[in-house]
């Protein structure tokens, strides 16, 4: 054996001895988890159950403890829970509010912490809201008088506010979206081109999913509210059972108008108000009952200002929950390079704001 070969063999033997009798290296940290606090679907003063999602994106089972800190003065049945989450799965942990208080701003800070069995810590700070529609049937006239008892959900994009309010009755789902923007660009005359302002909404059952392939079928109802030369209009973009391949097509809106919807779009003092009542018969998979949870989300198209505003982003959805199949394209829309977030954000029906 050559001198060089002896040296290599000696090095290997020494390395093996050190590995066997020296200080062991700390094993690699376990798989990280993603945390998200869901929005409330009834007011916290009523003592509801709220939920925290724990997602395991790793290849190994996650075992740890999740702690949730809620606003000062709230009393919870527990603030800490053990959790085991298999790879690729999401655990939904329930925390009951035994004593809560409603906030005038409808914002509630929540701090989440997960500590794995090996001590790896993951934290997330969030601000959640009560995302719920009280029972009431407003007059759709472009005025805001009827909306004082709605539970306002406010989020900001590029320093400009969007405020969403909803009501429900046995006959309709009503909404008012107030968009702070520099100007309102309506849909052009038929045959015209150019970008325009609009509000796009999606409604679906609580257990609905967005398929990962365009060959799948939609599980949502999707609508577009816009100003036209003839007044406010509501267009039906998607219904459950339709192929998602249609979502990627920039379809003209002609022929998609929802005839039974009542829609007004008005502008006052730097704010555009989109007010609409969608008949419940247009969304038959959403049962109008108090306490009913469903999914609801909003996109605001403001191409001349902030660009696309996305409630899914403001609601804290995870980065990988963006999907080009979650929202329909349409002629007149402009889209950023990154697709919008999924349209499955928790919402609910309640009997009253109070």
């Amino acid at each position: 054996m050559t001198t060089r070969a002896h040296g290599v063999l000696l090095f290997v033997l020494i390395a093996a001895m050190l590995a066997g009798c020296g200080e062991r290296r700390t094993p690699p940290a376990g798989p990280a988890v993603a945390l998200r606090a869901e929005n409330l679907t009834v007011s916290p003063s009523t003592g509801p159950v709220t939920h925290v999602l724990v997602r395991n994106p790793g290849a190994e089972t996650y075992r740890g403890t999740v702690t949730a800190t809620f606003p000062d003065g709230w009393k919870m049945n527990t603030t800490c829970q053990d959790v085991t989450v298999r790879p690729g799965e999401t655990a939904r942990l329930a925390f009951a509010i035994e004593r809560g208080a409603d906030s005038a701003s409808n914002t509630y800070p929540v701090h989440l912490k997960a500590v794995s069995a090996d001590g790896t810590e993951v934290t997330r700070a969030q601000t959640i809201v009560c995302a719920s529609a009280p029972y009431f049937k407003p007059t759709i006239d472009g005025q805001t008088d009827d909306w004082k008892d709605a539970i306002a959900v406010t989020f900001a994009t590029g320093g400009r506010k969007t405020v969403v309010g909803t009501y429900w009755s046995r006959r309709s789902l009503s909404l008012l979206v107030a968009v702070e923007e520099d100007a309102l660009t309506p849909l052009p005359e038929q045959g015209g081109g150019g970008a325009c302002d609009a509000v796009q909404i999606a409604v679906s059952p609580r257990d609905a999913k967005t398929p990962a392939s365009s060959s799948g079928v939609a599980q949502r109802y999707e609508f577009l509210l816009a100003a036209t030369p003839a007044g406010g209009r509501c267009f039906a973009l998607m219904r459950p059972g339709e192929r998602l391949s249609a979502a990627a097509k920039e379809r003209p809106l002609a022929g998609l108008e929802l005839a039974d919807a009542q829609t007004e779009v008005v502008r006052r003092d730097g704010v555009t108000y989109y007010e609409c009542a969608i008949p419940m018969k247009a969304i038959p998979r959403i049962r109008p009952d108090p306490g009913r949870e469903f999914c609801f989300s909003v996109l605001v198209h403001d191409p001349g200002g902030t660009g696309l505003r996305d409630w899914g982003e403001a609601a804290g959805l995870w980065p990988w929950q963006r999907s080009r199949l979650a929202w329909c394209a349409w002629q007149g829309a402009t889209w950023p390079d990154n697709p919008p977030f999924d349209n499955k954000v928790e919402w609910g029906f309640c009997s009253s704001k109070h």
Side-chain angles (χ1 to χ4, degrees):
M1 184 177 292
T2 64
T3 303
R4 178 180 178 82
H6 278 293
V8 171
L9 179 60
L10 180 62
F11 176 81
V12 170
L13 290 174
I14 293 174
M17 291 172 61
L18 291 175
C21 63
E23 182 180 357
R24 294 184 182 274
R25 293 184 296 174
T26 303
V33 290
L35 304 172
R36 178 177 176 260
E38 291 186 347
N39 291 307
L40 302 164
T41 55
V42 293
S43 299
S45 60
T46 63
V49 173
T50 187
H51 293 88
V52 172
L53 302 179
V54 185
R55 174 74 175 176
N56 179 7
E60 300 178 17
T61 297
Y62 178 89
R63 293 178 176 84
T65 302
V66 173
T67 302
T69 303
F70 294 92
D72 292 341
W74 286 20
K75 181 181 178 182
M76 311 297 296
N77 70 328
T78 184
T79 57
C80 185
Q81 295 191 42
D82 293 334
V83 65
T84 299
V85 192
R86 298 175 62 182
E89 295 186 355
T90 301
R92 190 170 185 245
L93 307 181
F95 294 84
I97 302 172
E98 296 182 349
R99 184 179 66 245
D102 300 342
S103 164
S105 65
N106 191 25
T107 55
Y108 305 96
V110 178
H111 188 271
L112 307 175
K113 180 172 71 173
V115 180
S116 66
D118 65 6
T120 302
E121 186 174 300
V122 176
T123 62
R124 183 177 186 183
Q126 266 186 267
T127 298
I128 63 173
V129 302
C130 176
S132 194
Y135 184 87
F136 186 71
K137 188 179 185 301
T139 300
I140 306 301
D141 56 4
Q143 303 299 314
T144 61
D145 305 20
D146 282 351
W147 291 90
K148 61 183 181 298
D149 285 329
I151 301 175
V153 171
T154 304
F155 65 102
T157 306
R160 311 307 296 270
K161 289 195 302 183
T162 300
V163 184
V164 181
T166 52
Y167 285 130
W168 71 281
S169 70
R170 298 296 177 184
R171 293 183 177 273
S172 61
L173 171 65
S174 302
L175 63 148
L176 177 69
V177 182
V179 180
E180 188 180 62
E181 59 183 352
D182 293 331
L184 169 63
T185 304
L187 285 172
E189 296 281 359
Q190 188 169 356
C196 60
D197 293 348
V199 166
Q200 198 163 343
I201 67 169
V203 188
S204 57
R206 187 67 175 88
D207 59 353
K209 306 294 182 185
T210 298
S213 170
S214 61
S215 62
V217 297
Q219 300 180 27
R220 68 179 184 263
Y221 303 95
E222 189 175 346
F223 304 95
L224 184 77
L225 313 180
T228 75
R233 293 292 183 267
C234 175
F235 302 91
L237 301 180
M238 183 72 72
R239 294 179 176 86
E242 295 182 353
R243 290 288 176 184
L244 283 178
S245 54
K249 299 177 181 177
E250 291 191 358
R251 293 176 293 168
L253 296 174
L256 299 180
E257 187 173 334
L258 185 63
D260 293 334
Q262 299 175 356
T263 310
E264 292 287 342
V265 181
V266 299
R267 184 166 171 79
R268 290 189 300 271
D269 302 324
V271 179
T272 303
Y273 296 91
Y274 297 82
E275 188 182 28
C276 184
I278 297 171
M280 281 294 180
K281 65 182 181 180
I283 51 174
R285 296 191 183 185
I286 309 300
R287 293 180 56 187
D289 298 314
R292 174 75 55 189
E293 292 189 357
F294 58 98
C295 295
F296 177 86
S297 196
V298 177
L299 297 180
V300 174
H301 296 265
D302 180 20
T306 59
L308 192 69
R309 310 182 193 182
D310 190 340
W311 169 238
E313 180 176 19
L317 295 187
W318 292 312
W320 58 83
Q321 290 181 280
R322 293 180 181 270
S323 172
R324 297 193 184 280
L325 299 175
W327 297 93
C328 288
W330 47 276
Q331 287 186 1
T334 58
W335 302 92
D337 292 336
N338 281 334
F341 281 81
D342 196 10
N343 54 55
K344 309 298 188 295
V345 184
E346 55 280 347
W347 210 272
F349 292 143
C350 63
S351 57
S352 171
K353 173 182 180 178
H354 305 289

